[in-house]
Amino acid sequence: MNQPLRLKQGGRIDRSKPMRFSFDGKQYVGYAGDTLASALLANGVRVTGRSFKYHRPRGIFGAGFEEPNTLVQLGSSALSEPNLKATQVELIDGLEARAVNCWPSARFDLMAVFRWLKPFMPSGFYYKTFIWPSWHWFEAVIRAAAGLGQSPQQPDPDHYDKRNLSVDVLVVGGGRYGLEAAIKAAEEGRDVVLVDDKSQLGGALLYEHQQLNGNSLVELLDRASKLSKLRVLTRCTAFGYYDHNHVVAVEMLSDSGLRQRLWHISAGEVVLATGAIERPIVFPNNDRPGVMLASAGRQYLHRYAVMAGRQIVIATNNDSAYEVALELQAAGVKVVAVLDARTNPDALVIAATRERGIRIEFGAAPSSTRGSSAISAVEWHRVDTSGKAQADTSNVIDCDCLLVSGGWNPTVHLFSQSGGSLRFDEILQAFVPAKSVQKERSVGAAAGTFDTPLNLQPLWSVDVSLLKRTPNYSWVDLASDVTEGDLRLAAREGFTSVEHLKRYTTTGMMTDQGKTSNVNAIGVMSTIVGRPAGSVGTTKFRPPFNPVTFGAVVGQHVGAYYQPLRRLPTDELQRSAGAVMEDYGGWARPAYIPIKGESEHDAIKREVCAVRAGVGIVDYSPLGKILVHGPDAATLLHRMYVNNMKTLKPGFCRYGVMIGEDGIVFDDGVLTRWDENTFQVGTTSGHAERVTEWLEEWLQCEWVDLDVIVEPVTTQWSVIMVAGPNARQLLQRLGMDIDLSAEAFPHMTARSGHIGDIPVRIMRVSFTGELSYEVSVPWSYGAALWQQLLKLGTDLDVTPFGLESLMVMRIEKGFLHVGTETEGTTMPQDIGFAEIIAKKADDFVGRRSTMTPEGMRRDRRQLVGLAAVDGATVLPVGGHLVSAEFQKPPHKTQGYVTSSAWSPTLGRPVAMGLVERGRERLGESLIVYSARSPKPVAVRIVELAAYDPKGERLHG
């Protein structure tokens, strides 16, 4: 098939390997080595996409990750992938691609009607329009229209991988400066990894006929190939730069059975050779297909042997575009004119352009483009040094391509992510690296170093006010459909802070992340508000630098491997007994263990009654266990917990509550002091890792003088809880060397000993309200202990029970469960710790926050018991508590039900809740309202402990 814009020779493509592909249902041919963008351009396809908001026709604008216009969806069904930049899609035989955000095609888009609604849809209109009468009136339509491509609905059949890598030096960017840095470091004997997003190393050397220090690209690649210390990853994009020189990159794979690989790279030193992105020029109708970056036209010419057009006009304010003009003409492409906004600049490259007979217009800039679906002519006017177009001049040049060059922006995204600060370079009119905070250095264009002077004159936008035109069609951000007029509107409405500007107008957002728009937007805003561009500042550059698939991020952690459930030491025994296993804090644990076809309700009732009347056992191993050891262990824990931990004696246990710096309840658990310097911290099963990290953070960052070791030991010890009136009798049959009598082993104490030769630790604590022991043995003995207890307790009718039965018993007893009875505003004084805080003289983490006006409010929600007045209705969890005068919503809520269950022990429902001033209102009546319940339920506020309120049974 004919490729009208393909040169007959040249390029880095393989003409012996034609590649057939389709775009928007039409068949085309390219070559191996092409990108989808270069192949479309070679085939003369001008309209390759539609703008996000107004569905204006758009064409190929860039040649790499800076492309804002041509986003495509590849493949179909489960293999479909949306929102890829055509400039980054390597052409393969049989490729199927279609433009996103249009229907039925980019060439003919029925949604283009939105372009005529532009006057009614400026930036920020949605903040004002969809608030009346209710956002929900518009929500469904807006959500249906939002987005670009379509995510596949079927499971992803591809495979992904994750790797960790530690190196001496990481070089990001395989251009001339990156190659030089990598080669030098490797020759010094350091382990080096070089990553580059392209399929070939070389960067600009692939399309610029230049040398570095006398070295050609071939020579550099030859030197690199001989270095065993240098590892090269091509098709690998570094997209995130984090603390401790940790860089994350994604590698595209094709022949390994994997689609992508995510690299977590820890480097002693990072070299950023990420190059620079050419800056476009802002003027009316600068988004028409056929308008392209000059550097992109140069790349397509040399890398792919593709002409950006047959008759090309170049608009610039610097010298770099003249090199493009010369190279285009040398390749046989007609360069109609160069429009230079500067007045009589002097440079060798300009003189060479004159000698070649190329028309040059100084003091000139484009003021608009013409054409229906693509550019057919460019309008230009004389401009002054500020870029203001003069009304007394008007010219038109026929062309099918306009290449623009407004200067160069160093690619500082990764540098900024690393925490480095930027400064505004007045010569480049761009932001460049100023100060590194990690062991990093930027080189080459990424540092603002260019091989030849640009001799640039500032030109943020062409001012067409004297032409009596509005800037409402001068596009600043092509990806987000933001015009200069939108920026001016934002300024009029007070959104002049760069972060506010970004969010109000959406400039620099979406898949492009401001690569071709951010600096121009800052420059335009600087002229509007009359401040230097450097003082306007930049927005935060956040990962990812380039869009990344969820598949790459997740890797192999899908399905059952997404968050693998940890298993109990008795897991096989629980399953063989028919236990219903569920996820509790990342552990597979039995919810209940039915027998003889019992329902869930009947099984829980049987298990609860068995524990209350006799003895039951449950595998309690997931409960977090952290060993805190050292001379300052007591000092650390005293500072970390609300209650006093210094007075805890060896051999005793104490319930403790931990809060964050904000004063909000973070975790709870039982602490055991084994000796003067050794504590075992108990945590909830889902918070063991977080509490460990929390303790370590304070030790490593704040209290570095404390001599303490923190060691998580959750999976070192298997724990079986033995609970019920017959618990002591059952344990005595194990033959351990521990006196279990009530006098020798009272409640809230701990003992250690042996069962034969096996070490055992026992804590007498209760979460059931019954006589309870938590028996710990080494993890590998957990299953054997379970079996032995079942064997020895046959005549005692020992009953295994599940977590749901345990929850029913703790609600009967009124025991707190963090995460259920607490929320993101719950402080310790809300759950009964006000007196404990008042008595503790020493400071602790979060204390100050508990004493703020918010923490001292008398109407805070407090944990109380709730009793249904009718004695029969199980209260709906989450149901709102409202005044007794409640008739129908809306009505002010006074709290909500946190836990609720039917009590087999009491034969009536029990519940707990957070209620405003709850402790002051015992006996008061309220109404529970829930949309899930057929009618409101009357309740009374009661004490928390519905069962054994004096605690006589657990002290037995």
Side-chain angles (χ1 to χ4, degrees), residues 5-29:
L5 294 181
R6 180 84 71 179
L7 296 174
K8 294 182 179 180
Q9 58 184 6
R12 295 176 177 270
I13 54 175
D14 188 346
R15 298 172 189 266
S16 67
K17 296 180 180 178
M19 301 282 181
R20 295 186 176 273
F21 70 99
S22 68
F23 177 71
D24 278 353
K26 190 173 181 179
Q27 298 296 315
Y28 301 97
V29 173

mmCIF file of all heavy atoms in Angstrom, residues 5-29:
data_model
loop_
_atom_site.group_PDB
_atom_site.id
_atom_site.type_symbol
_atom_site.label_atom_id
_atom_site.label_comp_id
_atom_site.label_asym_id
_atom_site.label_seq_id
_atom_site.Cartn_x
_atom_site.Cartn_y
_atom_site.Cartn_z
ATOM 1 N N LEU A 5 3.863 9.892 2.495
ATOM 2 C CA LEU A 5 4.820 10.776 3.149
ATOM 3 C C LEU A 5 6.086 10.046 3.587
ATOM 4 O O LEU A 5 6.881 10.593 4.350
ATOM 5 C CB LEU A 5 4.171 11.465 4.350
ATOM 6 C CG LEU A 5 3.039 12.460 4.026
ATOM 7 C CD1 LEU A 5 2.509 13.094 5.291
ATOM 8 C CD2 LEU A 5 3.525 13.535 3.059
ATOM 9 N N ARG A 6 6.286 8.838 3.083
ATOM 10 C CA ARG A 6 7.489 8.083 3.413
ATOM 11 C C ARG A 6 8.579 8.381 2.384
ATOM 12 O O ARG A 6 8.340 8.316 1.176
ATOM 13 C CB ARG A 6 7.204 6.589 3.419
ATOM 14 C CG ARG A 6 8.402 5.719 3.761
ATOM 15 C CD ARG A 6 8.602 5.574 5.248
ATOM 16 N NE ARG A 6 7.561 4.746 5.828
ATOM 17 C CZ ARG A 6 7.493 4.420 7.115
ATOM 18 N NH1 ARG A 6 8.408 4.886 7.952
ATOM 19 N NH2 ARG A 6 6.511 3.667 7.571
ATOM 20 N N LEU A 7 9.760 8.726 2.874
ATOM 21 C CA LEU A 7 10.891 8.914 1.980
ATOM 22 C C LEU A 7 11.339 7.566 1.406
ATOM 23 O O LEU A 7 11.175 6.519 2.044
ATOM 24 C CB LEU A 7 12.051 9.571 2.728
ATOM 25 C CG LEU A 7 11.795 10.998 3.246
ATOM 26 C CD1 LEU A 7 12.971 11.453 4.086
ATOM 27 C CD2 LEU A 7 11.559 11.946 2.086
ATOM 28 N N LYS A 8 11.920 7.594 0.228
ATOM 29 C CA LYS A 8 12.310 6.352 -0.433
ATOM 30 C C LYS A 8 13.510 5.690 0.227
ATOM 31 O O LYS A 8 13.749 4.496 0.042
ATOM 32 C CB LYS A 8 12.609 6.626 -1.915
ATOM 33 C CG LYS A 8 11.376 7.043 -2.711
ATOM 34 C CD LYS A 8 11.708 7.252 -4.182
ATOM 35 C CE LYS A 8 10.470 7.651 -4.983
ATOM 36 N NZ LYS A 8 10.780 7.867 -6.427
ATOM 37 N N GLN A 9 14.250 6.440 1.000
ATOM 38 C CA GLN A 9 15.399 5.847 1.669
ATOM 39 C C GLN A 9 15.642 6.574 2.996
ATOM 40 O O GLN A 9 15.081 7.624 3.262
ATOM 41 C CB GLN A 9 16.644 5.957 0.799
ATOM 42 C CG GLN A 9 17.025 7.386 0.413
ATOM 43 C CD GLN A 9 18.215 7.431 -0.540
ATOM 44 O OE1 GLN A 9 18.691 6.401 -1.006
ATOM 45 N NE2 GLN A 9 18.694 8.633 -0.817
ATOM 46 N N GLY A 10 16.506 5.979 3.822
ATOM 47 C CA GLY A 10 16.854 6.585 5.093
ATOM 48 C C GLY A 10 16.033 6.022 6.239
ATOM 49 O O GLY A 10 15.209 5.108 6.086
ATOM 50 N N GLY A 11 16.269 6.559 7.394
ATOM 51 C CA GLY A 11 15.553 6.137 8.583
ATOM 52 C C GLY A 11 16.160 4.909 9.229
ATOM 53 O O GLY A 11 17.041 4.248 8.678
ATOM 54 N N ARG A 12 15.667 4.583 10.409
ATOM 55 C CA ARG A 12 16.123 3.407 11.144
ATOM 56 C C ARG A 12 15.040 2.334 11.163
ATOM 57 O O ARG A 12 14.854 1.635 12.156
ATOM 58 C CB ARG A 12 16.511 3.803 12.570
ATOM 59 C CG ARG A 12 17.711 4.739 12.621
ATOM 60 C CD ARG A 12 18.020 5.189 14.047
ATOM 61 N NE ARG A 12 19.209 6.030 14.076
ATOM 62 C CZ ARG A 12 20.452 5.575 14.235
ATOM 63 N NH1 ARG A 12 20.660 4.266 14.375
ATOM 64 N NH2 ARG A 12 21.476 6.397 14.251
ATOM 65 N N ILE A 13 14.337 2.221 10.087
ATOM 66 C CA ILE A 13 13.289 1.217 9.932
ATOM 67 C C ILE A 13 13.806 0.087 9.060
ATOM 68 O O ILE A 13 14.794 0.234 8.335
ATOM 69 C CB ILE A 13 12.031 1.836 9.298
ATOM 70 C CG1 ILE A 13 12.384 2.532 7.980
ATOM 71 C CG2 ILE A 13 11.356 2.800 10.257
ATOM 72 C CD1 ILE A 13 11.200 3.068 7.223
ATOM 73 N N ASP A 14 13.133 -1.052 9.121
ATOM 74 C CA ASP A 14 13.510 -2.211 8.314
ATOM 75 C C ASP A 14 12.481 -2.370 7.192
ATOM 76 O O ASP A 14 11.397 -2.910 7.399
ATOM 77 C CB ASP A 14 13.558 -3.460 9.185
ATOM 78 C CG ASP A 14 14.142 -4.665 8.454
ATOM 79 O OD1 ASP A 14 14.258 -4.612 7.213
ATOM 80 O OD2 ASP A 14 14.474 -5.657 9.120
ATOM 81 N N ARG A 15 12.835 -1.894 6.032
ATOM 82 C CA ARG A 15 11.889 -1.909 4.909
ATOM 83 C C ARG A 15 11.629 -3.313 4.380
ATOM 84 O O ARG A 15 10.702 -3.528 3.598
ATOM 85 C CB ARG A 15 12.395 -1.007 3.784
ATOM 86 C CG ARG A 15 12.512 0.464 4.203
ATOM 87 C CD ARG A 15 13.186 1.317 3.141
ATOM 88 N NE ARG A 15 13.497 2.662 3.616
ATOM 89 C CZ ARG A 15 12.712 3.719 3.446
ATOM 90 N NH1 ARG A 15 11.579 3.583 2.779
ATOM 91 N NH2 ARG A 15 13.065 4.905 3.925
ATOM 92 N N SER A 16 12.451 -4.270 4.788
ATOM 93 C CA SER A 16 12.225 -5.658 4.353
ATOM 94 C C SER A 16 11.133 -6.336 5.168
ATOM 95 O O SER A 16 10.739 -7.457 4.868
ATOM 96 C CB SER A 16 13.526 -6.458 4.474
ATOM 97 O OG SER A 16 13.902 -6.619 5.842
ATOM 98 N N LYS A 17 10.654 -5.663 6.217
ATOM 99 C CA LYS A 17 9.630 -6.243 7.086
ATOM 100 C C LYS A 17 8.419 -5.331 7.156
ATOM 101 O O LYS A 17 8.255 -4.558 8.093
ATOM 102 C CB LYS A 17 10.186 -6.493 8.483
ATOM 103 C CG LYS A 17 11.306 -7.514 8.544
ATOM 104 C CD LYS A 17 11.797 -7.695 9.970
ATOM 105 C CE LYS A 17 12.929 -8.725 10.041
ATOM 106 N NZ LYS A 17 13.436 -8.879 11.421
ATOM 107 N N PRO A 18 7.549 -5.392 6.153
ATOM 108 C CA PRO A 18 6.332 -4.582 6.209
ATOM 109 C C PRO A 18 5.396 -5.076 7.308
ATOM 110 O O PRO A 18 5.334 -6.277 7.597
ATOM 111 C CB PRO A 18 5.710 -4.770 4.817
ATOM 112 C CG PRO A 18 6.281 -6.046 4.320
ATOM 113 C CD PRO A 18 7.636 -6.190 4.909
ATOM 114 N N MET A 19 4.715 -4.161 7.925
ATOM 115 C CA MET A 19 3.787 -4.469 9.009
ATOM 116 C C MET A 19 2.403 -3.938 8.650
ATOM 117 O O MET A 19 2.226 -2.742 8.431
ATOM 118 C CB MET A 19 4.263 -3.819 10.314
ATOM 119 C CG MET A 19 5.643 -4.248 10.776
ATOM 120 S SD MET A 19 5.598 -5.869 11.547
ATOM 121 C CE MET A 19 7.329 -6.078 12.013
ATOM 122 N N ARG A 20 1.433 -4.835 8.609
ATOM 123 C CA ARG A 20 0.058 -4.417 8.350
ATOM 124 C C ARG A 20 -0.631 -4.105 9.675
ATOM 125 O O ARG A 20 -0.480 -4.831 10.653
ATOM 126 C CB ARG A 20 -0.712 -5.512 7.594
ATOM 127 C CG ARG A 20 -0.161 -5.755 6.193
ATOM 128 C CD ARG A 20 -1.024 -6.741 5.408
ATOM 129 N NE ARG A 20 -0.527 -6.880 4.038
ATOM 130 C CZ ARG A 20 -0.890 -6.092 3.040
ATOM 131 N NH1 ARG A 20 -1.785 -5.123 3.259
ATOM 132 N NH2 ARG A 20 -0.392 -6.271 1.832
ATOM 133 N N PHE A 21 -1.378 -3.029 9.678
ATOM 134 C CA PHE A 21 -2.089 -2.630 10.898
ATOM 135 C C PHE A 21 -3.362 -1.901 10.506
ATOM 136 O O PHE A 21 -3.551 -1.506 9.343
ATOM 137 C CB PHE A 21 -1.206 -1.738 11.777
ATOM 138 C CG PHE A 21 -0.949 -0.365 11.220
ATOM 139 C CD1 PHE A 21 -1.678 0.736 11.655
ATOM 140 C CD2 PHE A 21 0.034 -0.149 10.254
ATOM 141 C CE1 PHE A 21 -1.439 2.007 11.152
ATOM 142 C CE2 PHE A 21 0.284 1.113 9.743
ATOM 143 C CZ PHE A 21 -0.456 2.202 10.199
ATOM 144 N N SER A 22 -4.225 -1.723 11.485
ATOM 145 C CA SER A 22 -5.475 -0.988 11.227
ATOM 146 C C SER A 22 -5.622 0.132 12.244
ATOM 147 O O SER A 22 -5.191 0.016 13.403
ATOM 148 C CB SER A 22 -6.688 -1.925 11.317
ATOM 149 O OG SER A 22 -6.892 -2.374 12.647
ATOM 150 N N PHE A 23 -6.225 1.216 11.774
ATOM 151 C CA PHE A 23 -6.525 2.349 12.647
ATOM 152 C C PHE A 23 -7.934 2.815 12.335
ATOM 153 O O PHE A 23 -8.256 3.128 11.181
ATOM 154 C CB PHE A 23 -5.529 3.481 12.427
ATOM 155 C CG PHE A 23 -5.821 4.703 13.257
ATOM 156 C CD1 PHE A 23 -5.615 4.692 14.629
ATOM 157 C CD2 PHE A 23 -6.314 5.866 12.676
ATOM 158 C CE1 PHE A 23 -5.883 5.808 15.403
ATOM 159 C CE2 PHE A 23 -6.587 6.994 13.440
ATOM 160 C CZ PHE A 23 -6.374 6.956 14.809
ATOM 161 N N ASP A 24 -8.789 2.812 13.335
ATOM 162 C CA ASP A 24 -10.207 3.171 13.174
ATOM 163 C C ASP A 24 -10.858 2.348 12.076
ATOM 164 O O ASP A 24 -11.672 2.856 11.278
ATOM 165 C CB ASP A 24 -10.353 4.665 12.892
ATOM 166 C CG ASP A 24 -10.308 5.502 14.170
ATOM 167 O OD1 ASP A 24 -10.300 4.910 15.263
ATOM 168 O OD2 ASP A 24 -10.265 6.741 14.066
ATOM 169 N N GLY A 25 -10.455 1.074 11.991
ATOM 170 C CA GLY A 25 -11.066 0.143 11.055
ATOM 171 C C GLY A 25 -10.501 0.149 9.654
ATOM 172 O O GLY A 25 -10.897 -0.663 8.827
ATOM 173 N N LYS A 26 -9.564 1.051 9.371
ATOM 174 C CA LYS A 26 -8.985 1.131 8.036
ATOM 175 C C LYS A 26 -7.593 0.521 8.038
ATOM 176 O O LYS A 26 -6.819 0.709 8.976
ATOM 177 C CB LYS A 26 -8.925 2.583 7.565
ATOM 178 C CG LYS A 26 -8.554 2.751 6.092
ATOM 179 C CD LYS A 26 -8.675 4.194 5.656
ATOM 180 C CE LYS A 26 -8.326 4.362 4.173
ATOM 181 N NZ LYS A 26 -8.457 5.773 3.724
ATOM 182 N N GLN A 27 -7.253 -0.203 6.975
ATOM 183 C CA GLN A 27 -5.987 -0.929 6.899
ATOM 184 C C GLN A 27 -4.856 -0.046 6.347
ATOM 185 O O GLN A 27 -5.057 0.733 5.411
ATOM 186 C CB GLN A 27 -6.135 -2.154 5.998
ATOM 187 C CG GLN A 27 -7.157 -3.177 6.502
ATOM 188 C CD GLN A 27 -6.762 -3.789 7.823
ATOM 189 O OE1 GLN A 27 -5.606 -4.171 8.013
ATOM 190 N NE2 GLN A 27 -7.724 -3.893 8.729
ATOM 191 N N TYR A 28 -3.674 -0.201 6.953
ATOM 192 C CA TYR A 28 -2.488 0.530 6.523
ATOM 193 C C TYR A 28 -1.278 -0.399 6.594
ATOM 194 O O TYR A 28 -1.349 -1.508 7.140
ATOM 195 C CB TYR A 28 -2.240 1.757 7.404
ATOM 196 C CG TYR A 28 -3.361 2.756 7.421
ATOM 197 C CD1 TYR A 28 -4.316 2.750 8.451
ATOM 198 C CD2 TYR A 28 -3.476 3.720 6.429
ATOM 199 C CE1 TYR A 28 -5.345 3.666 8.473
ATOM 200 C CE2 TYR A 28 -4.504 4.660 6.448
ATOM 201 C CZ TYR A 28 -5.443 4.624 7.474
ATOM 202 O OH TYR A 28 -6.463 5.544 7.487
ATOM 203 N N VAL A 29 -0.144 0.103 6.076
ATOM 204 C CA VAL A 29 1.111 -0.653 6.124
ATOM 205 C C VAL A 29 2.212 0.263 6.624
ATOM 206 O O VAL A 29 2.316 1.421 6.204
ATOM 207 C CB VAL A 29 1.484 -1.230 4.743
ATOM 208 C CG1 VAL A 29 2.880 -1.865 4.791
ATOM 209 C CG2 VAL A 29 0.463 -2.253 4.293
#
